[in-house]
Amino acid sequence: MEKIGKTDIKHLAEQFGTPLYVYDSNIIKNNYSKLKSAFDSYYPRNTVHYSVKANSNLNILKLFNELGCGADCSSPFELYLANITGFAKDKILYTGNYESIEDLREVSKYNVKINVDDINSFTRLAKIKLPEIISFRINPGIGRGGFEGIVTAGSDAKFGVPYEQAYEAYRTAKDSGVNRFGIHMMTGSNNLEPYYFAEVVDKLMTIAGNVFTKLGIAPEYIDIGGGFGIPYDDDEEELNIDETARLVAETLLEKCKKYHFGEPELKMEPGRYLIGNAGFLISKVTGLKNSYKRFIGIDAGMNVLIRPALYGARHRMKIYAKEDRKNFYYVCGQICENSDIMAAHIYLPEVEEGDILIIQDVGAYGFSMSSNYNNRLRPAEILIKNEKVQLIRARETYEDLLRLMK
Ligand SMILES: Cc1ncc(COP(=O)(O)O)c(C=O)c1O
């Protein structure tokens, strides 16, 4: 691999240094239009809210806003960023969890739709300001993700209102004077199986049908969260988004008819699907070691990309201008933790010190999960847009880290 779009990776590394996050806007645009047009074909009353937590650089948010996408925010600062980017209020959602009074006070100021995580969260919110419309994040009792660490529903999940308590949640809101409602779920990330989305939508709609009918109310929107997956391995197949949209729409329409819900708006909050494969992490090989295993040390460890260390996520890797794979390696960062392994037993070309190693599919949950552990500086970020290379975040400096220490 030598280029991202038409831009030479080595030139980027020389100009901006490593480690370096690089995003290709053409890939982002293509992802958005594939997802949006699939859902437009089968359920036109839909809104896509980009999940800001996946990658919250202002220039990335600006791009999504330009594309006509909305935003889903998970903290007051994400909401602030979405607001200064210029997203229309009715295209912004807020989905937190274990929301503090302070957070809710801040969020209330923006008048955006809120998916509350718990009945107690609603009660806290109602004391600050009764929302015009409210939606509960429901745990429908099932969840699935690409691997265990990214399953966000079911009996082990910390998120949402257990579906057995959904009636109580909506009754509490109704009794408090709210008369407009939505319903929400987010059951897991990186799912590649279209039928799963239909299965879980079916479950949510059955819950909504029972609860809303008993209370004599109807949902204005059904928010199915994100979770649309991307391949992280050459042998994984892409999610068939057209089939996903078709199955989700079919299920929604059938259930809406059954429960006399009319045609509520369908909301989605994808992160990974929109930006995951648009991001590349450019790193430099800092050292090779033949120990009990054959190690490649690079300057991008768990501080820069924590997904492998955090939950065993796998990422494809390439060496600049070398194609023929020859050896199995363990690729590690420079952090003083033995879990700082970026890839275990990966087949790569013969590697030398100074080589450029490219980690793929890091657009989502890459920079946004990075840290300063071991007092390493967070990397710079580059956006390639209309073939122009734009520095969208400067590399951190010692002064940046010192500024807040008293
Ligand atoms: C509430 C909520 N919505 C949406 C997303 C985005 O998920 P994904 O990147 O899998 O689409 C997440 C991710 O954790 C989430 O917590």
Side-chain angles (χ1 to χ4, degrees):
M1 179 177 194
E2 285 163 37
K3 292 194 166 156
I4 297 169
K6 293 184 176 158
T7 308
D8 186 85
I9 292 170
K10 197 167 181 201
H11 288 161
L12 288 177
E14 280 164 4
Q15 189 179 351
F16 298 100
T18 60
L20 180 71
Y21 273 101
V22 182
Y23 312 111
D24 183 335
S25 70
N26 285 336
I27 302 178
I28 297 173
K29 283 183 199 165
N30 189 38
N31 293 341
Y32 176 71
S33 83
K34 256 198 319 198
L35 182 123
K36 182 68 179 146
S37 60
F39 279 92
D40 282 352
S41 308
Y42 298 104
Y43 199 98
R45 261 208 92 197
N46 74 74
T47 311
V48 179
H49 299 262
Y50 167 63
S51 180
V52 174
K53 65 174 79 69
N55 186 324
S56 55
N57 189 292
L58 269 181
N59 296 269
I60 298 291
L61 298 185
K62 222 167 99 191
L63 178 62
F64 279 111
N65 189 30
E66 280 164 16
L67 293 174
C69 194
D72 177 50
C73 308
S74 66
S75 68
F77 188 59
E78 285 187 2
L79 196 49
Y80 175 84
L81 289 175
N83 191 49
I84 62 171
T85 302
F87 284 96
K89 285 259 190 310
D90 63 348
K91 283 200 160 183
I92 303 179
L93 291 176
Y94 186 85
T95 315
N97 62 90
Y98 301 85
E99 304 91 327
S100 65
I101 289 181
E102 292 76 15
D103 282 2
L104 290 169
R105 201 171 283 133
E106 193 61 28
V107 172
S108 291
K109 293 181 191 155
Y110 288 86
N111 282 326
V112 299
K113 293 191 178 72
I114 305 175
N115 298 311
V116 280
D117 184 59
D118 187 27
I119 302 175
N120 291 326
S121 303
F122 171 78
T123 309
R124 285 195 291 276
L125 174 66
K127 278 189 195 143
I128 298 163
K129 185 177 163 197
L130 191 68
E132 236 176 72
I133 176 166
I134 198 68
S135 153
F136 286 92
R137 176 175 183 162
I138 300 297
N139 178 343
I142 54 169
R144 194 190 290 177
F147 44 83
E148 205 188 319
I150 52 177
V151 175
T152 52
S155 56
D156 285 333
K158 71 163 185 162
F159 302 100
V161 177
Y163 71 94
E164 298 90 340
Q165 295 168 26
Y167 174 78
E168 192 194 334
Y170 283 94
R171 188 184 47 75
T172 306
K174 193 181 173 207
D175 288 352
S176 312
V178 180
N179 54 27
R180 295 177 58 204
F181 304 93
I183 190 163
H184 174 272
M185 69 176 166
M186 168 65 198
T187 66
S189 195
N190 205 36
N191 286 297
L192 291 166
E193 171 60 56
Y195 189 74
Y196 172 70
F197 293 94
E199 185 189 345
V200 76
V201 166
D202 185 86
K203 189 94 205 268
L204 184 73
M205 291 305 288
T206 303
I207 297 161
N210 290 333
V211 169
F212 283 49
T213 306
K214 264 197 225 159
L215 289 166
I217 57 178
E220 289 186 23
Y221 67 87
I222 312 288
D223 185 343
I224 64 170
F228 307 110
I230 59 168
Y232 281 92
D233 249 325
D234 289 338
D235 59 4
E236 278 181 330
E237 275 193 31
E238 262 185 40
L239 170 68
N240 185 334
I241 198 68
D242 193 75
E243 185 64 355
T244 304
R246 189 181 71 75
L247 290 170
V248 165
E250 203 177 278
T251 313
L252 261 185
L253 291 168
E254 186 206 315
K255 293 286 186 185
C256 285
K257 193 166 164 208
K258 178 171 173 184
Y259 298 116
H260 310 289
F261 282 169
E263 201 180 308
E265 182 189 355
L266 166 64
K267 289 184 178 290
M268 289 159 273
E269 306 161 358
R272 191 184 310 276
Y273 186 87
L274 296 179
I275 193 166
N277 67 346
F280 302 83
L281 177 54
I282 314 303
S283 72
K284 200 171 72 197
V285 174
T286 54
L288 295 166
K289 186 188 284 177
N290 281 328
S291 177
Y292 302 104
K293 290 167 182 164
R294 195 192 281 249
F295 287 104
I296 298 175
I298 58 173
D299 58 7
M302 65 193 286
N303 53 318
V304 177
L305 176 71
I306 200 174
R307 298 188 70 253
L310 181 65
Y311 32 44
R314 290 153 57 100
H315 283 270
R316 288 178 279 204
M317 295 182 177
K318 298 266 163 59
I319 304 294
Y320 179 84
K322 290 185 179 178
E323 298 300 331
D324 293 338
R325 295 181 185 246
K326 286 231 170 77
N327 295 310
F328 284 99
Y329 294 98
Y330 280 69
V331 179
C332 61
Q334 299 171 294
I335 296 301
C336 304
E337 296 286 344
N338 211 37
S339 53
D340 184 26
I341 300 293
M342 306 301 282
H345 203 64
I346 188 171
Y347 199 39
L348 289 174
E350 194 73 49
V351 175
E352 292 160 273
E353 211 177 294
D355 274 350
I356 292 173
L357 185 146
I358 301 124
I359 309 180
Q360 291 174 255
D361 310 308
V362 297
Y365 312 110
F367 187 94
S368 65
M369 283 179 138
S370 65
S371 77
N372 292 120
Y373 187 40
N374 278 195
N375 287 294
R376 292 278 172 191
L377 304 174
R378 261 186 278 231
E381 294 182 289
I382 298 291
L383 179 64
I384 303 175
K385 197 172 171 189
N386 304 327
E387 286 171 40
K388 282 206 191 90
V389 170
Q390 198 186 335
L391 178 68
I392 58 170
R393 187 191 303 261
R395 187 174 300 283
E396 271 176 358
T397 62
Y398 288 2
E399 288 71 35
D400 291 325
L401 298 197
L402 277 170
R403 196 167 47 85
L404 297 175
M405 292 194 216
K406 305 283 175 204

